[in-house]
Amino acid sequence: MADDIVAVTRTGPLRDARDLIELATSEEAVGELLRRGLDWLTRVVRFDLATLFLLREGKLVSVAARGPLASEKVRRHELKLADFPTLGQALETRRARAFTQEDHAHGDGDPFDGVLDLPPGHSCMVVPLCAGERCYGLLTLDRTECETYPQAVVELVEVYGQMLATSLQQAEQKSTFEVLHRREHEHARLLESQLGGDEVGVLETSRSPAVRELAMRGRQVAETDTPVLLLGETGTGKERLARAVHRWSSRAEGPFVTLNCAAIPAGLLESELFGHVKGAFTGATRDRAGRFQMAHGGTLFLDEVGELPVELQAKLLRALQEKTFEPVGSDRTVRSDARILAATHVDLQQAIAQRRFREDLYYRLSVFPLRLPPLRERLEDLPQLCAFLLAELAKRTGRRGMKVTAEGIARLAAYDWPGNIRELANALERATILSRKPELGAEAFDLPLRTPGTKAGAEPLPLPPLPEGAVPTLEEVQRQHILRVLALTQGRIYGPGGAAALLGLKPSTLQSRMKKLGIARLEQYVARTPQEES
């Protein structure tokens, strides 16, 4: 029966094993893996039908078939495992076996009875597909000749069955890992959205020309892997902009990893950035990946990079230039493909002059600087920012449906916000906690008034009272509202934070309405500039 073995030495089972394992870890589906496994089997042993059965809820379900006797009926064939104890025994012992004529006469019966018309005593072999603690199914081989497969052939096919089962195991593990990775990624994105909000929408729908220009430039640089340096005062939203650049980029499906260089003790920063190996220092009980490794294929955001210790800046520069580094305590070079975004409120040019920041690192980071304007320069965005921040707060506080009235917006616009958007968020959170109604008016905000040209804490001029008992008309209500806004802006009509911007009107439209309402010449409220007078 030497003819039963086909070109074993010429084909090389070891090469087939490598091919199977390589296929199992590739992007191919399990169905393709099984098909290719049967194709390779044709180079090893002769058969008229090779069928792959997978175990599914107590049944053996045919998933692939090869050979002259293969048909659609065979490919849809199912067996109840309980009806075939011999097949169950093969799975329990994990050993392949060839069926003899006596087995056919006194065994369980033909598994293909009613599907194929095979002669009694035909060549038949059953090969379990088991790996680790799992049995995936069976491989059956059938020939129309009435002879028994020789033991040498059985043992060879058993090896192929083990190879195929191992490949199935690896493919299953890979599929499980990918599912978990997708779930983890979606969970991370949902959590990021809940914590960070939709910063992309806030940027691109801004009423501020400076912010819209910033968003446009951010989109342009996001298409590249160019390092970006985000500049601006504390609380202006540098991390939000970094997340937006990441979402606009081709790396959006990759990780977004952050490290606040000012929040980590100097002695631990190197380990946080580059990771460490077990035993690198006291307390290093296991290998640990650093932020660079975590950000592989995505974006690494280095916040407050101006606070990075000088002695660590050289290693960071090398990691940026070569995309390689060594974890603490290791001489093994690790490669990481991470796009770098950095942010700081520190004047890096001054830090360079004081030798607190490397000039070469500065030029490496600041290829494409983006400067975020402070809140006092984009007060026209206050209504949108308030709505956005209140929606974010509602996820934590449960106070849904809160909104800031026009008077509340005017009161907020009369403050210069040294803490920027972060301070605004805090003010809104305090107001939502203290307010018993969903509308947040001017009285909800305990803030000093700091408009340009006024001192901190200065109060607006009082409004003239309505005649006692008078029922205000619609025009009078409009007049009183405009007067309140003018009072809160100390009469400033033009520019960011001016009355026109707060009311959502063009300055010329506001002036026309003021004239119609009889308030165009109320100098105690309207501080006009020489340009306005002309």
Side-chain angles (χ1 to χ4, degrees), residues 255-326:
F256 179 84
V257 179
T258 68
L259 176 66
N260 189 323
C261 301
I264 307 293
L268 298 178
L269 263 175
E270 184 176 2
S271 173
E272 285 294 327
L273 272 173
F274 306 114
H276 63 254
V277 297
K278 181 179 179 180
F281 49 83
T282 303
T285 57
R286 60 182 177 85
D287 291 357
R288 184 174 182 273
R291 305 298 171 95
F292 263 94
Q293 283 174 274
M294 295 178 190
H296 179 72
T299 302
L300 174 60
F301 174 56
L302 300 176
D303 199 6
E304 299 299 350
V305 73
E307 305 295 338
L308 199 67
V310 176
E311 58 271 18
L312 193 53
Q313 293 175 21
K315 193 166 185 178
L316 174 60
L317 178 63
R318 184 203 165 195
L320 295 178
Q321 291 174 333
E322 302 178 14
K323 294 186 178 294
T324 61
F325 56 89
E326 289 80 36

Side-chain angles (χ1 to χ4, degrees), residues 185-224:
H185 183 63
E186 288 303 315
H187 177 71
R189 292 200 62 167
L190 176 62
L191 184 61
E192 178 184 313
S193 175
Q194 290 175 340
L195 295 177
D198 185 14
E199 61 279 345
V200 175
V202 172
L203 287 167
E204 295 196 302
T205 60
S206 170
R207 294 181 180 179
S208 166
V211 176
R212 288 199 301 272
E213 173 71 15
L214 181 73
M216 183 188 72
R217 295 185 65 199
R219 271 198 176 276
Q220 289 174 324
V221 75
E223 297 173 359
T224 72

Side-chain angles (χ1 to χ4, degrees), residues 360-378:
D360 48 3
L361 178 58
Y362 169 74
Y363 287 121
R364 187 71 187 177
L365 291 172
S366 64
V367 178
F368 199 95
L370 292 175
R371 185 177 296 277
L372 284 87
L375 181 54
R376 61 183 173 275
E377 294 180 10
R378 52 178 295 200

Side-chain angles (χ1 to χ4, degrees), residues 313-422:
Q313 293 175 21
K315 193 166 185 178
L316 174 60
L317 178 63
R318 184 203 165 195
L320 295 178
Q321 291 174 333
E322 302 178 14
K323 294 186 178 294
T324 61
F325 56 89
E326 289 80 36
V328 177
S330 172
D331 57 2
R332 179 175 60 91
T333 298
V334 177
R335 177 169 293 276
S336 175
D337 174 28
R339 199 261 181 89
I340 303 298
L341 305 178
T344 184
H345 73 283
V346 172
D347 184 340
L348 292 183
Q349 294 285 8
Q350 184 179 357
I352 291 170
Q354 297 172 351
R355 299 185 180 277
R356 293 187 293 107
F357 202 84
R358 292 178 61 108
E359 189 172 19
D360 48 3
L361 178 58
Y362 169 74
Y363 287 121
R364 187 71 187 177
L365 291 172
S366 64
V367 178
F368 199 95
L370 292 175
R371 185 177 296 277
L372 284 87
L375 181 54
R376 61 183 173 275
E377 294 180 10
R378 52 178 295 200
L379 291 176
E380 56 266 54
D381 281 341
L382 271 174
Q384 183 187 13
L385 285 171
C386 287
F388 167 67
L389 292 171
L390 286 172
E392 274 193 340
L393 288 170
K395 298 170 186 175
R396 293 194 292 108
T397 64
R399 298 294 305 275
R400 303 185 183 280
M402 304 292 288
K403 63 180 181 179
V404 183
T405 66
E407 289 81 2
I409 293 293
R411 184 61 183 265
L412 295 175
Y415 182 56
D416 64 0
W417 300 104
N420 293 293
I421 298 174
R422 187 177 298 133

Side-chain angles (χ1 to χ4, degrees), residues 226-274:
T226 301
V228 179
L229 181 62
L230 308 179
L231 304 169
E233 297 177 6
T234 299
T236 50
K238 293 186 286 294
E239 183 172 344
R240 290 184 186 276
L241 177 57
R243 290 181 184 273
V245 171
H246 171 71
R247 290 189 185 182
W248 288 326
S249 74
S250 60
R251 297 172 177 262
E253 295 302 315
F256 179 84
V257 179
T258 68
L259 176 66
N260 189 323
C261 301
I264 307 293
L268 298 178
L269 263 175
E270 184 176 2
S271 173
E272 285 294 327
L273 272 173
F274 306 114

Side-chain angles (χ1 to χ4, degrees), residues 102 125-126 152 254 256 283 451:
E102 184 179 349
M125 187 192 314
V126 173
F256 179 84
T451 55

Side-chain angles (χ1 to χ4, degrees), residues 466-477:
L466 288 172
E468 186 175 352
V471 177
T473 63
L474 178 59
E475 284 191 348
E476 185 58 36
V477 171

